[in-house]
Amino acid sequence: QSVLTQPPSVSGAPGQRVTISCSGSSSNLGAGYDVNWYQQLPGAAPKLVIYENSNRPSGVPDRFSGSKSGTSASLAITGLRAEDEADYYCQSYDDNLSGPWVFGGGTSLTVL
Amino acid sequence: EVHLLESGGGFVQPGGSLRVSCAASGFTFSNYAMTWVRQAPGKGLEWVSGISASGATTLYPDSVKGRLTISRDNSKNMLYLQMNGLRAEDTAVYYCAKTDFPDFTSSWWFDSWGQGALVTVSS
């Protein structure tokens, strides 16, 4: 059971817009801690795609965007492409845990 | 370009020990805190240790405290994870990852990752 809750799967057709949600609580997102997002292509290491809620690292397409409000955050991908098919993880900091840097359970994105 | 390369994974029996290493290049290693994140087969990501840029401070979750030890050698640009008292539930790919900070902060994100080292604990 992850501290940050994500839907197990989402899907969309090429060109469409999809969003992936990340739900937290008053000890993490609700406490004002930032959220970060990672993309993990099949068989590969995770890659940072959004940091500090809405910032994109160099090289990440502007089709990827992030937002946060209260105890929830979301990752949006517009103009969906086949190469976006991957697992996506949110990550933040939690006050209550001894292992404070926590991840969501991950969301598998399927491009139809 | 940042490059992180893990080595030392393998097969070990329950109760055994193993050390995983991570060779860093492409950045000033001694300026950044580093972490280890693991992923059990078919499962999600779990942060398992962190170390400050100087190596003076380390942190672990309760799930591994006392069994895993993170260390670094800034003269060799190397990060290590010593794993003792291994259990079946420690079976995972272990990734080393770079932060963008010299010390611990709630704002940590992991901006570069290695390809991972598979550790299998089984009798």
Side-chain angles (χ1 to χ4, degrees):
Chain A
Q1 194 83 3
S2 301
V3 172
L4 302 176
T5 302
Q6 298 180 236
S9 63
V10 298
S11 62
Q16 284 189 333
R17 178 181 187 269
V18 297
T19 61
I20 299 172
S21 62
C22 176
S23 178
S25 67
S26 59
S27 63
N28 43 69
L29 302 187
Y33 297 119
D34 293 332
V35 66
N36 310 300
W37 291 91
Y38 302 86
Q39 175 195 62
Q40 187 174 32
L41 296 171
K47 171 190 172 184
L48 179 70
V49 292
I50 295 289
Y51 66 98
E52 288 185 319
N53 304 320
S54 59
N55 296 310
R56 279 187 312 276
S58 173
V60 174
D62 60 7
R63 301 186 296 105
F64 290 81
S65 63
S67 63
K68 173 180 172 280
S69 178
T71 59
S72 295
S74 65
L75 172 71
I77 308 172
T78 59
L80 204 58
R81 297 182 178 184
E83 59 260 36
D84 298 330
E85 188 160 290
D87 293 330
Y88 291 84
Y89 294 89
C90 60
Q91 173 254 316
S92 187
Y93 181 92
D94 191 284
D95 278 335
N96 284 345
L97 301 178
S98 61
W101 292 279
V102 293
F103 290 90
T107 298
S108 177
L109 168 62
T110 299
V111 180
L112 301 171
Chain B
E1 180 187 358
V2 173
H3 191 57
L4 300 169
L5 182 64
E6 298 91 341
S7 61
F11 189 94
V12 61
Q13 293 188 332
S17 298
L18 199 66
R19 188 178 83 160
V20 181
S21 302
C22 174
S25 61
F27 66 104
T28 305
F29 181 70
S30 59
N31 285 356
Y32 297 97
M34 298 291 293
T35 68
W36 289 95
V37 176
R38 71 183 179 185
Q39 186 171 36
K43 302 296 184 182
L45 302 171
E46 179 188 16
W47 174 81
V48 292
S49 62
I51 187 167
S52 60
S54 68
T57 310
T58 59
L59 197 61
Y60 309 88
D62 281 349
S63 59
V64 306
K65 196 174 294 182
R67 300 188 302 114
L68 270 58
T69 303
I70 188 173
S71 63
R72 65 192 296 161
D73 186 337
N74 286 345
S75 69
K76 296 181 179 178
N77 290 352
M78 293 292 296
L79 180 72
Y80 305 101
L81 185 66
Q82 177 68 44
M83 298 182 283
N84 300 326
L86 283 164
R87 307 166 180 168
E89 55 264 35
D90 296 317
T91 294
V93 174
Y94 286 76
Y95 295 102
C96 67
K98 172 186 169 292
T99 78
D100 207 25
F101 301 87
D103 211 334
F104 292 98
T105 168
S106 62
S107 300
W108 266 8
W109 61 83
F110 311 122
D111 58 16
S112 297
W113 298 63
Q115 91 291 344
L118 176 61
V119 173
T120 303
V121 184
S122 175
S123 55

